[in-house]
Amino acid sequence: MCGIIGYTGSSHNAKDAVIEGLKRLEYRGYDSAGIAVFEKGKINLYKSKGKISNLENLLKDKNVSSNCGIGHTRWATHGEPSETNAHPHTVGKVTLVHNGIIENYNELKEKLLEEGVSFKSQTDTEVACAYIDFVYQNEKDKLKCLIKSTDEFRGSYAFGIIFEDEPDVIYATRKDSPLIIGITENNENFIASDVSAILNFTNKYILLEYGEYARVSKDKVEIFNHELRKTTKEINIADWSSSEYEKDGYEHFMLKEINEQPKIIANIFKKYSTDPSYIKNVDISSYSNIHIVACGSAMHAGLIGKYLFENYDNIPVTVEVASEYRYKNQLITPNTLVIVVSQSGETADTLAALRIAKEKGAKTLAIVNAIGSTIAREADICIYTYAGPEIAVATTKGYTSQVAVLSLLALEIGLKKKTISKEMYEKIIEESNSIESLLTDTINKHDEYLNIAKKIHEKEDLFFIGRGIDSAVCMEGSLKLKEISYMHSESYAAGELKHGTISLIENDTPVIAVATDINLYEKTISNIKETKARGAFSILITTDNISKESTVDFADIALTVAKTNTFIQQIIVVTALQLIAYETSKLRGCDIDKPKNLAKSVTVE
Ligand code: M6R
């Protein structure tokens, strides 16, 4: 979702530094881009619809030389993607870029229209810009002007602001949308939505908090609180290096990230076994119920967690999408643990759900990948997944690392509650030593995934079915396929299909069935046969303890993956599903890393 970058300094041309930063933010998802730069003391705007390459083409012959600029990738919310709606916006002396949504922009707009202000775009951002300019006409102290203005804004925002009468200085503030200040010792400083945008220049950064206002010049970064007192901030060092943001020879980031999974998952298990401060000392065994709250794939990881917590720890678990949870009666008791799961740690609905859970007195535990993100900082306890930066919009290693952490939590609780015996625990830990090679073997079945993709890529509708924990992994397999290949796909509990959906099965409709749980295997096979009898093209994904030959009369294709214990089985299965989605998307000619309409980090409701 929208990205912000700002540069002030004398070591680089601001235009180049800002464009470089925008390219690093592309992964967040966007549909237009723009920059504003000081050129000879005057602010000039350059904007274009579509890719950053369009903006680069626009700038090609312009010979822009500048010491300070701000830039933005916009993911349209208020108003279509267009050059006019693209950021930056200028009104009077104020030019700004904005992430988030100003919810009361209509109210503010009416007030400004009465004052004779006119608007060019359909955006809430231009209204915010006009409002700041309106306040600035009477309040010449810029920080006071920003405080007075933002006090009137409802909603979420991260702003990068430049004033025409103060060249080479960037102001910034935020609420519920992330913003960092990049620090260097080379007479240059930055503002950015996340560290990826600045890593080519510096790995030092300050996290700006809600209610803080920054004044950034090339050799000075000053942070003020709402009362205009200067605050001293901790300087953080980013662990992730800029090379982690490269494709590293892979055709797509998604493929690179799938291939990183064997090491990442093995490391999570290793860290758990060798570092007692990681997972082991998080004692959550005394809670009588758990709410797992998240969005998209992170919610699907929660479904795997539910299965494990309920089956192995005897704890009732509800899993809910954060956008619903935040507006319902959450039924939190003193004994409720709320687990929020988020790769980015910035998802607006998940963050809101976390805050509500805290307000209502629940103990909160976050499972997060992005170090230092808002969710990671605000939860009572945070367990990092250490998956490294995820660039492809479709999550892969983000999801599997969440499943790994949830599995280990379930194991740990079971051991503490003695619902899992020491022998069983030790066997599972022993088996987890082979996770790296099992995942590598799974990834290496490339030809089989391609073969399945060839069979399904021309279809428009597809179904996933499974029972128990397999049903949870089907949800993720289905989402992966539809988000990157634009095929219509639905995931159903295998026994539920005949209660309506089976009427959609036609000749050759692909049905992908996952059956890894031996206790439910025959039941799922019956469900596959039901679809097959109605013409379905059936693809069975099962484990290698079941012979492929025995599946010939009901499976058009049978794919086997290594059999292992329930705590890691789904990490292996989902890797196969990720690769089927990847190959299918490729055959359909889709933009795999940046699927249309999607954003990586969803920082608005
Ligand atoms: O950063 P988060 O884990 O909070 O993101 C949640 C979802 O937006 C995310 O998983 C989304 O569903 C992905 N596109 C799935 O691939």
mmCIF file of all heavy atoms in Angstrom, residues 61-77:
data_model
loop_
_atom_site.group_PDB
_atom_site.id
_atom_site.type_symbol
_atom_site.label_atom_id
_atom_site.label_comp_id
_atom_site.label_asym_id
_atom_site.label_seq_id
_atom_site.Cartn_x
_atom_site.Cartn_y
_atom_site.Cartn_z
ATOM 1 N N ASP A 61 14.303 13.687 -19.756
ATOM 2 C CA ASP A 61 14.883 14.836 -20.452
ATOM 3 C C ASP A 61 14.852 16.108 -19.614
ATOM 4 O O ASP A 61 15.100 17.197 -20.109
ATOM 5 C CB ASP A 61 14.085 15.114 -21.748
ATOM 6 C CG ASP A 61 13.921 13.863 -22.561
ATOM 7 O OD1 ASP A 61 14.900 13.113 -22.641
ATOM 8 O OD2 ASP A 61 12.799 13.632 -23.069
ATOM 9 N N LYS A 62 14.546 15.972 -18.348
ATOM 10 C CA LYS A 62 14.279 17.181 -17.561
ATOM 11 C C LYS A 62 15.498 17.771 -16.847
ATOM 12 O O LYS A 62 15.435 18.855 -16.327
ATOM 13 C CB LYS A 62 13.178 16.891 -16.514
ATOM 14 C CG LYS A 62 11.844 16.520 -17.121
ATOM 15 C CD LYS A 62 10.993 17.737 -17.258
ATOM 16 C CE LYS A 62 9.586 17.566 -17.704
ATOM 17 N NZ LYS A 62 9.247 16.707 -18.794
ATOM 18 N N ASN A 63 16.563 17.065 -16.757
ATOM 19 C CA ASN A 63 17.761 17.586 -16.106
ATOM 20 C C ASN A 63 17.491 18.163 -14.709
ATOM 21 O O ASN A 63 17.887 19.289 -14.395
ATOM 22 C CB ASN A 63 18.371 18.668 -17.024
ATOM 23 C CG ASN A 63 19.842 18.851 -16.717
ATOM 24 O OD1 ASN A 63 20.442 17.977 -16.094
ATOM 25 N ND2 ASN A 63 20.398 19.985 -17.109
ATOM 26 N N VAL A 64 16.810 17.373 -13.908
ATOM 27 C CA VAL A 64 16.446 17.844 -12.563
ATOM 28 C C VAL A 64 17.650 17.719 -11.628
ATOM 29 O O VAL A 64 18.273 16.668 -11.536
ATOM 30 C CB VAL A 64 15.282 16.992 -11.981
ATOM 31 C CG1 VAL A 64 15.003 17.371 -10.533
ATOM 32 C CG2 VAL A 64 14.039 17.153 -12.839
ATOM 33 N N SER A 65 17.961 18.820 -10.943
ATOM 34 C CA SER A 65 19.033 18.779 -9.947
ATOM 35 C C SER A 65 18.482 19.381 -8.657
ATOM 36 O O SER A 65 17.943 20.488 -8.665
ATOM 37 C CB SER A 65 20.222 19.574 -10.482
ATOM 38 O OG SER A 65 21.121 19.780 -9.445
ATOM 39 N N SER A 66 18.605 18.623 -7.571
ATOM 40 C CA SER A 66 17.927 19.076 -6.358
ATOM 41 C C SER A 66 18.599 18.525 -5.100
ATOM 42 O O SER A 66 19.216 17.463 -5.121
ATOM 43 C CB SER A 66 16.472 18.589 -6.408
ATOM 44 O OG SER A 66 15.852 18.748 -5.168
ATOM 45 N N ASN A 67 18.459 19.267 -4.003
ATOM 46 C CA ASN A 67 18.989 18.805 -2.710
ATOM 47 C C ASN A 67 17.906 18.253 -1.786
ATOM 48 O O ASN A 67 18.214 17.784 -0.698
ATOM 49 C CB ASN A 67 19.678 19.961 -1.974
ATOM 50 C CG ASN A 67 20.965 20.352 -2.649
ATOM 51 O OD1 ASN A 67 21.627 19.501 -3.225
ATOM 52 N ND2 ASN A 67 21.287 21.632 -2.604
ATOM 53 N N CYS A 68 16.670 18.378 -2.204
ATOM 54 C CA CYS A 68 15.605 17.927 -1.297
ATOM 55 C C CYS A 68 14.349 17.567 -2.087
ATOM 56 O O CYS A 68 13.946 18.312 -2.989
ATOM 57 C CB CYS A 68 15.293 19.048 -0.304
ATOM 58 S SG CYS A 68 13.942 18.659 0.822
ATOM 59 N N GLY A 69 13.770 16.436 -1.730
ATOM 60 C CA GLY A 69 12.532 16.066 -2.410
ATOM 61 C C GLY A 69 11.754 15.022 -1.625
ATOM 62 O O GLY A 69 12.290 14.370 -0.719
ATOM 63 N N ILE A 70 10.467 14.916 -1.961
ATOM 64 C CA ILE A 70 9.636 13.867 -1.367
ATOM 65 C C ILE A 70 8.987 13.084 -2.513
ATOM 66 O O ILE A 70 8.762 13.640 -3.598
ATOM 67 C CB ILE A 70 8.542 14.434 -0.414
ATOM 68 C CG1 ILE A 70 7.725 15.538 -1.093
ATOM 69 C CG2 ILE A 70 9.160 14.925 0.885
ATOM 70 C CD1 ILE A 70 6.594 16.100 -0.238
ATOM 71 N N GLY A 71 8.714 11.797 -2.277
ATOM 72 C CA GLY A 71 8.113 10.982 -3.333
ATOM 73 C C GLY A 71 7.090 10.028 -2.761
ATOM 74 O O GLY A 71 7.053 9.777 -1.540
ATOM 75 N N HIS A 72 6.263 9.474 -3.650
ATOM 76 C CA HIS A 72 5.136 8.677 -3.181
ATOM 77 C C HIS A 72 4.718 7.658 -4.224
ATOM 78 O O HIS A 72 4.699 7.955 -5.417
ATOM 79 C CB HIS A 72 3.963 9.631 -2.904
ATOM 80 C CG HIS A 72 2.809 9.015 -2.185
ATOM 81 N ND1 HIS A 72 1.687 8.565 -2.823
ATOM 82 C CD2 HIS A 72 2.605 8.799 -0.868
ATOM 83 C CE1 HIS A 72 0.828 8.101 -1.911
ATOM 84 N NE2 HIS A 72 1.366 8.225 -0.722
ATOM 85 N N THR A 73 4.403 6.453 -3.778
ATOM 86 C CA THR A 73 3.695 5.502 -4.628
ATOM 87 C C THR A 73 2.282 5.421 -4.068
ATOM 88 O O THR A 73 2.112 5.191 -2.862
ATOM 89 C CB THR A 73 4.361 4.114 -4.580
ATOM 90 O OG1 THR A 73 4.653 3.781 -3.216
ATOM 91 C CG2 THR A 73 5.640 4.067 -5.389
ATOM 92 N N ARG A 74 1.291 5.642 -4.920
ATOM 93 C CA ARG A 74 -0.101 5.709 -4.430
ATOM 94 C C ARG A 74 -0.878 4.457 -4.802
ATOM 95 O O ARG A 74 -0.858 4.031 -5.959
ATOM 96 C CB ARG A 74 -0.793 6.935 -5.034
ATOM 97 C CG ARG A 74 -2.293 6.993 -4.736
ATOM 98 C CD ARG A 74 -2.921 8.280 -5.247
ATOM 99 N NE ARG A 74 -4.311 8.383 -4.841
ATOM 100 C CZ ARG A 74 -5.369 8.170 -5.639
ATOM 101 N NH1 ARG A 74 -5.177 7.857 -6.914
ATOM 102 N NH2 ARG A 74 -6.594 8.258 -5.180
ATOM 103 N N TRP A 75 -1.558 3.885 -3.845
ATOM 104 C CA TRP A 75 -2.519 2.790 -4.064
ATOM 105 C C TRP A 75 -3.889 3.424 -3.850
ATOM 106 O O TRP A 75 -4.240 3.813 -2.736
ATOM 107 C CB TRP A 75 -2.251 1.666 -3.062
ATOM 108 C CG TRP A 75 -3.037 0.422 -3.302
ATOM 109 C CD1 TRP A 75 -2.724 -0.599 -4.154
ATOM 110 C CD2 TRP A 75 -4.271 0.038 -2.671
ATOM 111 N NE1 TRP A 75 -3.682 -1.585 -4.090
ATOM 112 C CE2 TRP A 75 -4.643 -1.219 -3.191
ATOM 113 C CE3 TRP A 75 -5.100 0.640 -1.723
ATOM 114 C CZ2 TRP A 75 -5.795 -1.892 -2.792
ATOM 115 C CZ3 TRP A 75 -6.252 -0.027 -1.330
ATOM 116 C CH2 TRP A 75 -6.585 -1.266 -1.868
ATOM 117 N N ALA A 76 -4.627 3.585 -4.962
ATOM 118 C CA ALA A 76 -5.824 4.438 -4.949
ATOM 119 C C ALA A 76 -6.851 4.028 -3.901
ATOM 120 O O ALA A 76 -7.207 2.858 -3.797
ATOM 121 C CB ALA A 76 -6.458 4.413 -6.333
ATOM 122 N N THR A 77 -7.314 4.989 -3.125
ATOM 123 C CA THR A 77 -8.493 4.773 -2.265
ATOM 124 C C THR A 77 -9.554 5.806 -2.637
ATOM 125 O O THR A 77 -10.624 5.461 -3.097
ATOM 126 C CB THR A 77 -8.155 4.880 -0.761
ATOM 127 O OG1 THR A 77 -7.568 6.152 -0.492
ATOM 128 C CG2 THR A 77 -7.243 3.766 -0.300
#
